[in-house]
Amino acid sequence: MSGSENIGEFISIEREGRIATLRFDRGDRINPLSVQLMRDLTAAARSLRDDVSTSAIVLTGGQAFSGGADLADPEIAKRAEASLLERREMLRVGPEMCDAWEALDQVTVAAIERFCIGGGVALAVACDFRIAGRSAHFRLPEIPLGMNMSWHTQPRLVNLIGPSRAKQLTIFGERVSAGKAEAWGLADEICEDGEAHAAARLWAEKVAALPPVAVRMAKRGITQAATALNSVSTFMDADQFALVSTSEDQREAVAAFLEKRTPKFTGR
């Protein structure tokens, strides 16, 4: 099966044989995740879930994989004025996107160039494999900015890299190079810059050559075994985000970032 389609303004899907390539590209160097783009990525995953002609999906960004949630998005800014009930509903968009990608029975391979930050990491670790360009890096800036890491990400990180390294990546908010990510198990292969998509496609081709039903059964069995308790440990992470976003420390973190100074946290 071959063909192409577009979903929303920034997503294209190309099918060739038993492989689908989904590209999400905002057309700038950051490739941030707006609320609408996250909704479209969720819709795309749910649509692909029913595609029995596809065995593997390559997920790739534009100039970079993604710089994370688009904090300049007016829909995100609306949260500050929303009621708690409304805010809880607004905060579902990120975790629902990641959950939809994890729920796919096809094997998913994320092709990562330049950087994968915040929500970009959350999306990438919801996939089965991650292929990164040699100069790429991963980073979770949420805690240094006074927020928690949500989107159902923490147990996925623990499953991939263990609790100590998950804490390093999450708490310190420091860059993790592609080489270190591979050593940790966060990246599955490192390739030359600009070759992540081609390398990811080779993984997809290996999957596509295998019996599709057996592959889907194996993937689902392994995923269920690894994630059986994930919902128990993440059901409140959006509520935690709603709480910390009202704290003095969160406002201080953002102010210090904009003013290029060291923040002074008080626990308030």
Side-chain angles (χ1 to χ4, degrees), residues 204-221:
E205 287 173 355
K206 289 197 293 184
V207 173
L210 294 167
V213 175
V215 168
R216 288 178 179 230
M217 287 178 173
K219 169 181 168 166
R220 183 52 45 201

Side-chain angles (χ1 to χ4, degrees), residues 7-26:
I7 295 180
E9 188 177 356
F10 302 115
I11 293 176
S12 63
I13 301 176
E14 299 285 340
R15 289 179 172 84
E16 184 177 346
R18 300 197 66 84
I19 299 172
T21 297
L22 185 148
R23 181 179 298 276
F24 63 102
D25 186 358
R26 293 284 301 277

Side-chain angles (χ1 to χ4, degrees), residues 54 74 84 107 128 156 182 186 214 219 259:
T54 299
L84 179 57
V107 171
D128 297 307
R156 292 179 180 127
E182 184 182 32
L186 182 59
K219 169 181 168 166
E259 295 165 11

Side-chain angles (χ1 to χ4, degrees), residues 1-116:
M1 179 178 179
S2 299
S4 62
E5 65 177 296
N6 295 319
I7 295 180
E9 188 177 356
F10 302 115
I11 293 176
S12 63
I13 301 176
E14 299 285 340
R15 289 179 172 84
E16 184 177 346
R18 300 197 66 84
I19 299 172
T21 297
L22 185 148
R23 181 179 298 276
F24 63 102
D25 186 358
R26 293 284 301 277
D28 62 20
R29 59 181 296 274
I30 305 299
N31 204 28
L33 297 167
S34 65
V35 170
Q36 187 56 53
L37 177 55
M38 288 188 277
R39 290 190 185 119
D40 290 341
L41 281 165
T42 304
R46 290 172 177 166
S47 173
L48 287 164
R49 173 67 181 81
D50 297 328
D51 181 3
V52 295
S53 68
T54 299
S55 292
I57 301 167
V58 176
L59 176 66
T60 186
Q63 297 177 44
F65 186 75
S66 179
D70 184 0
L71 300 182
D73 183 355
E75 287 204 58
I76 289 180
K78 288 179 183 177
R79 295 173 184 171
E81 305 300 323
S83 69
L84 179 57
L85 182 59
E86 291 169 329
R87 199 178 313 142
R88 292 181 84 245
E89 290 303 306
M90 292 175 177
L91 291 172
R92 290 173 56 178
V93 63
E96 286 185 349
M97 172 187 69
C98 296
D99 290 352
W101 277 87
E102 184 178 71
L104 284 161
D105 274 353
Q106 298 97 326
V107 171
T108 52
V109 189
I112 297 165
E113 297 282 3
R114 293 187 61 219
F115 50 75
C116 183

Side-chain angles (χ1 to χ4, degrees), residues 164-246:
S164 177
R165 286 167 175 164
K167 290 172 185 175
Q168 291 180 57
L169 179 62
T170 304
I171 294 173
F172 297 137
E174 298 171 343
R175 289 188 178 192
V176 173
S177 68
K180 181 180 283 189
E182 184 182 32
W184 282 8
L186 182 59
D188 296 285
E189 181 182 326
I190 305 303
C191 60
E192 295 304 315
D193 292 336
E195 297 296 321
H197 176 262
R201 185 171 175 85
L202 291 177
W203 283 62
E205 287 173 355
K206 289 197 293 184
V207 173
L210 294 167
V213 175
V215 168
R216 288 178 179 230
M217 287 178 173
K219 169 181 168 166
R220 183 52 45 201
I222 294 166
T223 298
Q224 291 301 113
T227 63
L229 295 177
N230 282 15
S231 61
V232 175
S233 59
T234 61
F235 77 98
M236 285 189 65
D237 66 6
D239 288 332
Q240 292 169 345
F241 186 92
L243 174 63
V244 298
S245 65
T246 65

